[in-house]
Amino acid sequence: MTLFDVYPINDITIVKAKGSYVWDENGDQYLDLYGGHAVISIGHTHPHWVKRIEEQLEKIAFYSNSIRIPLQQQLAEKLGKISGKEDYQLFLCNSGAEANENALKLASFHNGRKKVIAFSKSFHGRTSLAVSVTDNKNYIAPVNETENVIFLPFNDEEALEDCFKEEGKEISSVIVEGIQGVGGINVAEEDFLRRIRQLCDEYGAIYIADGIQCGHGRSGKFFSHDFAGANADIYTMAKGMGNGFPVAGIIIAPHIKAKHFQLGTTFGGNHLACAAALAVLEIIEEEKLMGNAVMVGKYLKDELENIPELRRVRGRGLMIGFDVTDELKDLRKNLLWNQKIFTGESKPNVIRLLPSLALKKRDAEDFIEALKEEIALLSNEQNAEANDTSASLRAGPAKTQ
């Protein structure tokens, strides 16, 4: 049997990881500024996280939600305290797509409506409903196609208002990322998020804040949506929630009431998942990682903005993106192979930085040095090619005997 070939893969095998570094089978060390799609929130193999999981594994690893699991309530209380959403309710599941799927279903259950507003360049997952509100036709199979999703321009208040005026009584929910990840690190404007809140209140729709990538402290606040000062009805979480252990969830405002069998999951909220998620929250709190994300993120943004070859540096905390020109199209590849630094991308020309929230400033400094070095090398290559072309043109066509 072979693997189903759906991933473009770098020919690197990682065998060890610690903090912001990983090592391959040849012993080569890499600085990880991507964290496996924003998953590594507290650093690879953090000793407290490892210990929490090991200790739980020795007691019980799994039983279904047909019995009481006290770890779930402990996680709910800790999550409420750190996020500032103590009056919300927690439903646990396994992945970001599943979290968004359940959020959209719950909104529809709540108000009995079908239509959903999503936005250009959005990414909410690859399962049925989640992929239907994802703005990429390559991911949407015919079976996922639906007329119930309305795509609007991101950060366009006027388009949003017009849509509600026309469709308001049919709209079940609005789903929006506080910072679009796959779409290219596009930050939702605070006024835009506040307008979503106001219109949802006015028309009885549910505001779903997708915090899969931009949540769990990555922006410097627990949810990046919180910069707008307006609470959503449902927040979705995954990625950094387990630091690599598969766990996800939604937190739900108190006015949305639960009914038995409305939602369900086999593996969601299992003992090991809760232990991992609790460890992450404990480390974020104990090591003040949201503050570190602000400090190191500011350093990175300031330094990146001072590099003239880069365009549109943007983001919050340790969720940063910048555009590269065609002349620098090999920059990300060269950072990986020449400098041993993992970064992310968004097509066609965005480099994304999504490191651990524990990234040290000296590691950020090393990255900036390496980045400048690779930009200089690529620029020199471009200049040399341009000079060769210019010399060839001046010389004119070669004479024949």
Side-chain angles (χ1 to χ4, degrees):
M1 183 182 291
T2 61
L3 296 174
F4 198 48
D5 187 14
V6 292
Y7 300 114
I9 292 176
N10 293 308
D11 190 18
I12 299 171
T13 302
I14 300 300
V15 297
K16 188 177 79 167
K18 188 172 182 61
S20 292
Y21 288 92
V22 297
W23 288 262
D24 68 16
E25 59 189 345
N26 302 314
D28 290 331
Q29 176 181 288
Y30 298 75
L31 176 60
D32 184 9
L33 295 185
Y34 191 52
H37 307 303
V39 166
I40 301 302
S41 52
I42 57 170
H44 291 281
T45 60
H46 190 292
H48 178 67
W49 178 82
V50 171
K51 183 180 179 183
R52 261 286 203 173
I53 295 171
E54 286 178 341
E55 288 178 348
Q56 187 57 50
L57 188 59
E58 290 175 353
K59 297 173 185 175
I60 177 173
F62 172 81
Y63 205 81
S64 76
N65 286 292
S66 62
I67 50 94
R68 191 176 301 281
I69 302 176
L71 281 168
Q72 293 182 350
Q73 185 58 44
Q74 293 173 32
L75 177 56
E77 290 171 3
K78 191 72 171 175
L79 187 58
K81 177 187 173 188
I82 293 180
S83 69
K85 309 285 191 285
E86 293 185 85
D87 58 340
Y88 279 58
Q89 309 155 88
L90 174 64
F91 175 78
L92 292 162
C93 50
N94 305 287
S95 70
E98 191 181 342
N100 284 329
E101 194 91 9
N102 279 292
L104 291 161
K105 282 176 59 179
L106 189 57
S108 186
F109 276 130
H110 177 73
N111 54 28
R113 301 176 187 174
K114 295 181 180 179
K115 293 200 172 183
V116 180
I117 293 175
F119 298 98
S120 57
K121 295 191 175 181
S122 61
F123 182 89
H124 299 291
R126 295 178 185 266
T127 55
S128 183
L129 264 175
V131 80
S132 295
V133 293
T134 290
D135 184 26
N136 191 322
K137 298 299 182 186
N138 294 323
Y139 302 158
I140 301 174
V143 72
N144 304 129
E145 293 173 354
T146 174
E147 295 179 355
N148 290 324
V149 178
I150 304 165
F151 284 101
L152 298 178
F154 189 60
N155 279 329
D156 189 331
E157 290 184 54
E158 185 176 351
L160 182 69
E161 291 163 1
D162 289 345
C163 184
F164 265 101
K165 284 176 186 174
E166 187 174 336
E167 306 270 5
K169 294 302 181 183
E170 302 298 319
I171 293 170
S172 172
S173 59
V174 179
I175 185 166
V176 61
E177 297 158 271
I179 305 172
Q180 292 183 329
V182 175
I185 313 296
N186 306 306
V187 180
E189 294 172 2
E190 293 170 25
D191 285 345
F192 181 64
L193 296 179
R194 285 191 283 266
R195 194 68 184 123
I196 291 174
R197 175 71 279 166
Q198 292 163 359
L199 289 165
C200 283
D201 287 341
E202 183 177 344
Y203 287 90
I206 295 297
Y207 171 12
I208 300 171
D210 181 333
I212 304 301
Q213 281 197 29
C214 60
H216 260 71
R218 179 160 293 283
S219 67
K221 289 186 180 289
F222 194 83
F223 294 109
S224 65
H225 300 77
D226 290 341
F227 283 95
N231 283 332
D233 298 302
I234 302 174
Y235 294 84
T236 64
M237 307 168 287
K239 303 257 184 228
M241 186 176 183
N243 199 54
F245 196 100
V247 59
I250 60 177
I251 61 170
I252 306 145
H255 68 273
I256 300 175
K257 304 303 180 186
K259 295 178 183 177
H260 283 181
F261 312 116
Q262 191 177 45
L263 304 178
T265 172
T266 297
F267 298 107
N270 67 72
H271 296 76
L272 281 180
C274 287
L278 272 165
V280 167
L281 293 174
E282 288 160 355
I283 293 160
I284 286 174
E285 183 178 44
E286 178 67 24
E287 299 184 6
K288 299 179 173 55
L289 294 189
M290 285 191 278
N292 188 69
V294 172
M295 180 188 71
V296 179
K298 182 180 186 305
Y299 167 80
L300 279 170
K301 275 189 71 182
D302 288 348
E303 291 296 315
L304 291 167
E305 285 169 353
N306 287 327
I307 298 175
E309 292 86 355
L310 305 182
R311 305 285 184 269
R312 294 184 60 237
V313 177
R314 58 202 181 270
R316 276 181 163 141
L318 285 173
M319 189 167 186
I320 297 170
F322 54 89
D323 295 350
V324 297
T325 60
D326 288 341
E327 291 75 17
L328 298 178
K329 61 181 172 33
D330 291 331
L331 180 57
R332 178 172 174 266
K333 180 181 72 175
N334 290 2
L335 283 169
L336 178 60
W337 297 109
N338 299 343
Q339 301 289 341
K340 300 290 189 288
I341 298 175
F342 278 100
T343 59
E345 68 177 343
S346 290
K347 300 294 185 184
N349 62 342
V350 180
I351 289 181
R352 292 192 286 156
L353 306 180
L354 299 160
S356 157
L357 308 189
L359 182 72
K360 292 179 171 59
K361 186 168 179 280
R362 67 171 178 268
D363 294 327
E365 291 168 346
D366 289 345
F367 165 69
I368 294 295
E369 263 186 51
L371 183 68
K372 289 178 178 177
E373 182 179 326
E374 289 304 320
I375 289 172
L377 287 170
L378 286 168
S379 297
N380 289 338
E381 287 174 10
Q382 290 290 326
N383 290 336
E385 287 178 14
N387 290 337
D388 288 346
T389 301
S390 177
S392 176
L393 289 171
R394 285 197 302 271
K399 293 181 180 179
T400 58
Q401 298 295 328

